[in-house]
Amino acid sequence: MNAIEFRAELVKIMPGYSWTVHKTPKGMTYLSATGIQSSGFNRLSTLSVVRRERDGTVSYEAKSAGYGTRARWLHTNTAGTLARALRGLQDHYEAVANTYRSHASALKTGRLLEGGAA
């Protein structure tokens, strides 16, 4: 796969991001790209995708960062296809959100008085 095909695959699956495919040094067997979502001058989300090919096996590593250009990477997921790597990230964030939502609900319930007033 070349850089043009890689970019087309990224745009097809994640059209809401602006993608940049990075140059790969000669002799290397990977492609990397960065996608960003922004609103005006504010960066809302950053995705980094690396496609590696070893011994005929392809793997994709996807990682994402939150708000801003200097935000830390939040999670990384690797899978055999781009769609699965990205879906793994989404599943992770949904699971974490559910966990925090559950804890927030427990705290809210604990604050309520017996009469129902907060």
Side-chain angles (χ1 to χ4, degrees):
M1 176 178 277
N2 63 29
I4 294 170
E5 295 167 334
F6 183 47
R7 185 178 192 289
E9 182 181 25
L10 292 164
V11 169
K12 180 180 176 184
I13 292 179
M14 297 297 281
Y17 283 79
S18 298
W19 289 100
T20 302
V21 178
H22 307 290
K23 281 191 169 188
T24 305
K26 284 192 174 192
M28 300 306 280
T29 58
Y30 70 91
L31 293 167
S32 65
T34 302
I36 61 168
Q37 275 185 339
S38 58
S39 176
F41 291 110
N42 299 319
R43 184 178 292 199
L44 304 176
S45 175
T46 305
L47 267 178
S48 174
V49 177
V50 177
R51 180 186 190 275
R52 289 187 173 84
E53 197 166 338
R54 291 187 186 132
D55 302 325
T57 303
V58 176
S59 70
Y60 290 86
E61 177 186 88
K63 61 183 177 178
S64 63
Y67 305 108
T69 57
R70 295 191 177 109
R72 64 182 180 86
W73 297 111
L74 298 173
H75 189 68
T76 303
N77 191 55
T78 303
T81 66
L82 177 58
R84 286 184 181 152
L86 293 169
R87 184 57 194 203
L89 275 178
Q90 182 180 339
D91 289 345
H92 168 76
Y93 294 133
E94 287 174 353
V96 169
N98 288 335
T99 299
Y100 280 97
R101 193 174 301 108
S102 168
H103 287 293
S105 177
L107 289 170
K108 182 178 181 180
T109 301
R111 278 197 343 259
L112 293 177
L113 298 175
E114 196 170 303

